[in-house]
Every structure is written in structure tokens, then in C-alpha cells.
Amino acid sequence: MSATIKDVAKRAKVSISTVSLVINNNPRISESTRQRVLKAIRELNYYPRRAARGLVSHKTGNIGFILTEDHFSRHEPFYTRIFLGTEFEARELEYYILLTTVHPDFKPTSRLPRFILERNVDGVIFAGKVPDSLIQLIEARGIPVVFVDYHPPRGNYPAVLIDNISGGMLATQHLIDCGRRRIGFLGGDFDHPSIYDRYQGYRQALERNHIPFEDNRVVTDEPYPDRISGYQAMEKLLAKAPDVDAIFACNDAMALGALQYLKEKHRNVPEEISIIGFDDVEADLTVDPRLSTIRVNKEELGIQAIRLMIEILNSDKKLPRKILVPVELIERESTCSITENR
Amino acid sequence: MSATIKDVAKRAKVSISTVSLVINNNPRISESTRQRVLKAIRELNYYPRRAARGLVSHKTGNIGFILTEDHFSRHEPFYTRIFLGTEFEARELEYYILLTTVHPDFKPTSRLPRFILERNVDGVIFAGKVPDSLIQLIEARGIPVVFVDYHPPRGNYPAVLIDNISGGMLATQHLIDCGRRRIGFLGGDFDHPSIYDRYQGYRQALERNHIPFEDNRVVTDEPYPDRISGYQAMEKLLAKAPDVDAIFACNDAMALGALQYLKEKHRNVPEEISIIGFDDVEADLTVDPRLSTIRVNKEELGIQAIRLMIEILNSDKKLPRKILVPVELIERESTCSITENR
DNA sequence: CCAGTATAGTAAAACGTTTTACCAATAATA
DNA sequence: TATTATTGGTAAAACGTTTTACTATACTGG
């Protein structure tokens, strides 16, 4: 087999400990022996084995990435991109990512992810909404955690979040800049902080522009913000407030559903009713008109999550810092100025 | 800290070895002591540490996934889906995937991926075309390898491949079934076995239908099969063979480029010229007309690769088996029967 | 010149498993 | 009954590092 630390020690005529100290850049070793050891390492093509290191140092060099099964399949491109962001940044910073999904109704008696049981990760990143019982179980084991695109209502954790409030304001302000005044909001599941924050951004933008908020221009009783509920919410909204001239949907899925409804009813988008979504998913480009939206840099969410995690691992303090990742307005064809055709 | 094998041994009043044997389902242990040990394990919530196991057993429970940087970025959705397929299946089979990218011009002196140096994987899956020097270096270390969507020209390795020949025949036969007879082929980089095989499928379908092959209906001098080269290849083809009534492009990217050219020249697709691609990528749905294509199940490629790898790891024989993943014809709007409007 | 203090290096324990060789007790065989 | 197998279990070595406590040597200041 290949060289071990023992072989290096023998060749450099030093003790094993000395080699170890050199590897770990301990200043206790003089320059001359350091060079001698490094030479032996080079000549033998030595590289320390992860398993041996991990056994005694209790560091694995791995970071766990956990999300629920339905998040992975339902929001596939979104969380995939966050995951790829973590992968990318982890590689830079000499870590590896271990991915796993959990069932959304994780019970306190459910079996933990294998990498937790095996103590094969130094920390865990939770992506999206995850069961509270799972969080508690992992925390109880003293494993550092970082949240991305979610923060549990209870407690105070390090988290990387989309700047949803600014995004909501940005979207709404864009519609206002288009001359729209009767702006509706389509949302689902207010329990989800992201959606609630986007709604807050909507409210704040209205207020800032001295546009009175009208309760009947808001539909938020859909349980899950997907395409179908966007379709239904649009129908409800139009029944309550037939005069809306713009829609801010809490995400692109709902926006696309709403758009579909409007097209079926032969309402002119964007002239008669402009519509803007949130997230910037691939499908936005496949529809006609292409959907204006608020772009979320998903990879950046992952990158920031890794950086935050590694900072925590290196400082081993609790630092429940929140990082807000900025968003960007993407103007496409589903929004336009009201003056253009009056 | 949490329980170790020692604690279990003490509580069950057996030796450490016995506990280990129970964990590893060794039949040497009697049912009664086995139960006693299992009880202790349950009571102490014991789970063996990966690092300690790995140190002595020389198994890591990890599988490396290597592809070149440009494959990851250029063909992003394609290889991402293969990767997700491996992730998914690995989880089922109690492995983890460690992902890394390498530079496309990996030199024999380049630094190997860290998980190789650290001996942190039991085997390596190569996705797409990878540098030969890298393959050789990894093989030289005795690490089992599996290829997916590529097989190096030299040697004989286990590989999971798209059934490109059948796919090429399927695509061409579909055009023939549409009544087309003057069918062009657009390809790039013939060095790539996939593309070459698709071309062979094209040839075979023509032959089977007794349609003479015409050299000037083929353009294959584009270096890289992307959208731009599809555009250019289409231009060249039309110059050489203005009478083509159908196009089989070696992949969707080229097909989309060709489609763009035809639209700019106001050629009627699909009536005048039908066009079919290969891969079935997301963008196929965003174009008008939506692209007919040969669907490749990317996740399935990854799943099969993992299964093959684990079979190899468990049998530790060399088994250079090839697995062909079948493809499927997807009829959309870019192909139609020639009789429809004659 | 001597006690005290850096400096540079080492020996040995520890990390938590698997595995190998061995042993005792029991069963099977001649 | 004596020998040989078989069964069920154990002791101890090994895996390849890090880390802690210790030592020898050289230096420093009084």
C-alpha cells in the first residue's frame, strides 16, 4: 500500500509526531527539519488518510445538507441550485457535502440521517422548511447548524435568507412605476416566513407611495403556493376586485397559474393586467408573455450558507448571524407601463 | 460523549469483539447473546462511528463523482440530473456521493482530487468525457471506476451508456414515418462516441428503409455541438443540399440553433422542413414550435452507474460490463407528416 | 556559574473499530 | 474411551493519525 506517516518519519529520520506537527504547520518545528520532512513527504507521495485523522481529531471534513423529500421534488430546480452552490463553495474551502432528504413529518422517534448517527459530518445545513423535531434532535447532539431559505419560528439560529422584504418592495414598486395603482397580491401559506415577508414588502411599497391598501385585493388562503393555487387565487381575486390592473404573486409558480387563468379569460397581459412573480425559475421563459420577476440567486444562497457554516466551525462560538442575499428585478414581458396604450 | 462499542460490551457483559461480530451479522454468535447485545445497543443508542470503521476496514462508504468543469457548466442540466440520480440511488444503498470537478486538460503531474489523496472514496464514477491521464492515475491506485455517458477509446471499462444507436435510428425512423426522404444530419465532434453512434443509427435507419445515403446531407465539421454551431451547420447544410425535408441533429442544442436559422430564413418548420433533436432538455419546451426529440432519462443513467459500482465493490472482480439505458421518442411540434399539407 | 526559561523534538497514549489467532467447552466419530 | 471437529466466544494486534506530557539542549540574566 501507499506511504503512511511512519514511512515519512523513517525517511526523514524524525519521529512520527514531528511529521504530524509539520503537516499541521506547527511552528514548533525548526525550518531545517521542516524542510527535511517536506522533502520526504514529496518523495513518498504522502497524503494523510481522512479516516485516521478523523478518528482522533473528531473532524470529518464533511457537511451535511438536509431537506425534505417534497422540497426536493416539488421545488426541484430551486433547491438543486442551492445545493450546487454549497457543493461549489465547499470544494473551494476543502469540505465535502453529504446530501440527504428526510420525510416531511419526521417524528421524534424517526431514525436520524445516517451521517448524523455515524458522526460523519461536522455540521448540518438545513434547506427550506424542515421538521422541528429533526432540528431539535440534531441540535441536541451538539452539531452546529445553519439554515438556508428558512428560519424556524422558535429559537435564534444562523441563517442565510432571501431578502424577501426588499424583493416584495421591488416588485410592487416596479408595478407602481408602470403607473399601476390597483395592485393585487396573490399568496399562499402565510406561515412560511418568506411569503409573509414578500407580502410585507408589498404593503410597505404601497404605503411609501401613499397608495391605500385594500383588503379585497389580497388572496392568501391558498394552502400551498403552486401553479394550481395561483390559477384559483386569480379567479377569486377577480371576483372580489374586478378592477385590479396589476398582480404581484408571491412566487413564479403562482404567477404562472394566474397568468394561465387570465389568458383563458382573454384578459390582456400585460396591458390590461400586468403580472410579476418571484424566484426566476426556468419556466418563466417558456410562457408567453415571458414573466417579469424578482430574481433570487440560488447558488449564492448555498455559497453563503457554506461560508457561514465554516466560520462557525472555525470559531466554535454560537453566532446566530443572519445573512440576507439581495434580489434583482427582472423586467420581461408580463409587465408594462400603463401609459403605453392609453 | 455518546456510547462506544466498549460501553455496549460492558453493558451486555461480552467482549468488544462479540459486539463487533453482532453488528456485522456474523453467524458465529448465538441467538441468545446476539439478543443481549442488540438490547444493549438499543438501550445505549449506539451506532458505530464511520471514521473508526473506515480506519481498519478500509471502506469509506463514499463514492466519488468526477466530471470536468466545462461539462458541469456547459451541459449543466444534463450532468446535474445524472448526479442527482447517483445521489438518489446512493442514499438507497447506504452510500454517500462526493462530487468534484477537474480541469479538462488534467496533466499527469496535476494534483488529484482530494478525496482520492485522502483515500476517502471506495470507487469513482466518471461522468462524461474526462482526461485520460486522470483515468490512468486513478486506476493505478487500484480504485474501481465506472463510466457514465462516456467510455474511453482505450481499454475496456464498466460503463453506463445511452443507447445512442437505437436513439439515432428511432429519430431517423420517425422522420421516415413522417414521409420524409431527404433527411439531413447535423453533428459535431465525431471523436465523441455518443455523437458517432447517433450518426450510425441515422445511417442504419436509412439503410433499413432502402433510402440511399447522400454525403452532402451531412454536416459534421463543427467542433463542439452547441447552439451556435447548430446555426452554422444548418446554414452550411442548406447551401450543400437545399432540398432537405428533414433534419436529425445530434443533440437538442444543435437542433435549437438549426431551428433558429430556419426561422430567420422564414422556412416553415415542421411542414417544409421537420427537425428532431436528441437529449430532451428543458429548453425544448420554450421554443416555437416545441422540439421533437429523443428523450434520455438522465437520472436513470446515474442510478445504473451506482448500482454497477456497488456490484463491483461487493464482488471485487473486474467486470467491464456495459449497460445501455434505453431512450424514447418524444413527438412534439417540430416534426410532422409530409402528407398533412400536400 | 547557576537557576530559570525558551526551543526543538520525542514517546506514548488515545481515538473506536475490525480482524486474526486462539481457547474452552461441547459434540461427533472411531 | 480417546481423539477430533464444531461451536461460541475472547484477547490482542492493527488501522494511521493527533495530542499531551515530557526531555534534552541551548540560551539568558543575575
Side-chain angles (χ1 to χ4, degrees), chain B residues 16-208:
Chain B
I16 285 178
S17 335
T18 304
V19 179
S20 177
L21 292 173
V22 168
I23 292 167
N24 294 288
N25 293 313
N26 191 308
R28 188 129 51 107
I29 305 301
S30 72
E31 192 52 31
S32 60
T33 42
R34 165 185 307 278
Q35 288 306 331
R36 200 145 41 87
V37 170
L38 289 176
K39 181 154 168 278
I41 286 176
R42 244 177 291 120
E43 287 168 354
L44 292 173
N45 240 314
Y46 168 74
Y47 207 97
R49 281 152 190 71
R50 168 61 58 186
R53 282 193 130 163
L55 182 56
V56 42
S57 72
H58 293 291
K59 308 256 170 243
T60 66
N62 301 326
I63 293 171
F65 186 99
I66 301 183
L67 76 176
T68 60
E69 285 157 19
D70 59 329
H71 269 69
F72 213 6
S73 46
R74 269 182 124 147
H75 308 273
E76 198 271 298
F78 192 86
Y79 286 104
T80 300
R81 305 206 77 86
I82 294 179
F83 172 66
L84 290 178
T86 64
E87 272 286 351
F88 185 80
E89 189 65 8
R91 231 171 304 154
E92 296 297 309
L93 301 175
E94 309 252 281
Y95 275 81
Y96 289 109
I97 302 289
L98 304 187
L99 170 72
T100 204
T101 58
V102 294
H103 205 71
D105 60 350
F106 186 93
K107 303 265 188 325
T109 54
S110 301
R111 186 189 172 82
L112 282 167
R114 193 163 50 85
F115 57 56
I116 301 287
L117 297 170
E118 289 180 335
R119 287 161 200 78
N120 203 11
V121 292
D122 298 336
V124 166
I125 292 174
F126 290 110
K129 196 173 182 175
V130 285
D132 200 59
S133 50
L134 173 66
I135 300 169
Q136 296 194 24
L137 242 49
I138 289 181
E139 242 205 320
R141 293 185 162 236
I143 297 174
V145 300
V146 163
F147 288 84
V148 57
D149 193 38
Y150 177 73
H151 188 284
R154 168 197 59 74
N156 183 21
Y157 296 96
V160 177
L161 302 164
I162 301 168
D163 191 351
N164 286 302
I165 296 184
S166 299
M169 291 182 66
L170 211 55
T172 312
Q173 187 64 51
H174 171 58
L175 296 173
I176 293 169
D177 292 345
C178 288
R180 315 277 163 179
R181 288 297 176 272
R182 301 185 298 280
I183 302 172
F185 179 84
L186 261 39
D189 187 17
F190 254 22
D191 283 348
H192 199 299
S194 289
I195 293 172
Y196 185 72
D197 284 354
R198 289 169 193 187
Y199 174 69
Q200 288 306 321
Y202 162 76
R203 293 289 298 260
Q204 286 177 31
L206 291 184
E207 195 173 338
R208 180 174 296 184

Side-chain angles (χ1 to χ4, degrees), chain B residues 264-334:
Chain B
E264 283 178 14
K265 298 299 170 191
H266 303 293
R267 308 292 293 257
N268 190 335
V269 177
E271 282 80 9
E272 189 186 346
I273 300 182
S274 276
I275 182 164
I276 188 167
F278 205 117
D279 283 351
D280 190 30
V281 299
E282 317 256 328
D284 293 359
L285 292 166
T286 83
V287 290
D288 179 36
R290 293 181 304 142
L291 191 66
S292 294
T293 191
I294 302 297
R295 173 174 293 165
V296 174
N297 188 334
K298 298 105 196 166
E299 283 84 359
E300 185 66 17
L301 286 168
I303 290 172
Q304 294 294 340
I306 286 291
R307 293 202 185 142
L308 183 51
M309 170 59 81
I310 289 174
E311 196 179 338
I312 289 169
L313 292 179
N314 289 340
S315 76
D316 95 329
K317 279 174 285 183
K318 290 243 171 207
L319 64 135
R321 183 134 50 89
K322 309 287 177 287
I323 293 175
L324 283 187
V325 172
V327 294
E328 183 189 359
L329 171 67
I330 304 292
E331 290 186 52
R332 293 204 185 97
E333 297 152 4
S334 70

Side-chain angles (χ1 to χ4, degrees), chain A residues 46 49 95 100 142 221 246 323:
Chain A
Y46 169 73
R49 281 152 190 72
Y95 275 82
T100 205
D221 51 357
I323 293 175

Side-chain angles (χ1 to χ4, degrees), chain A residues 14-15 17-18 21 28-30 33 55-56:
Chain A
V14 293
S15 72
S17 333
T18 305
L21 293 173
R28 185 129 53 106
I29 306 300
S30 72
T33 42
L55 183 56
V56 42

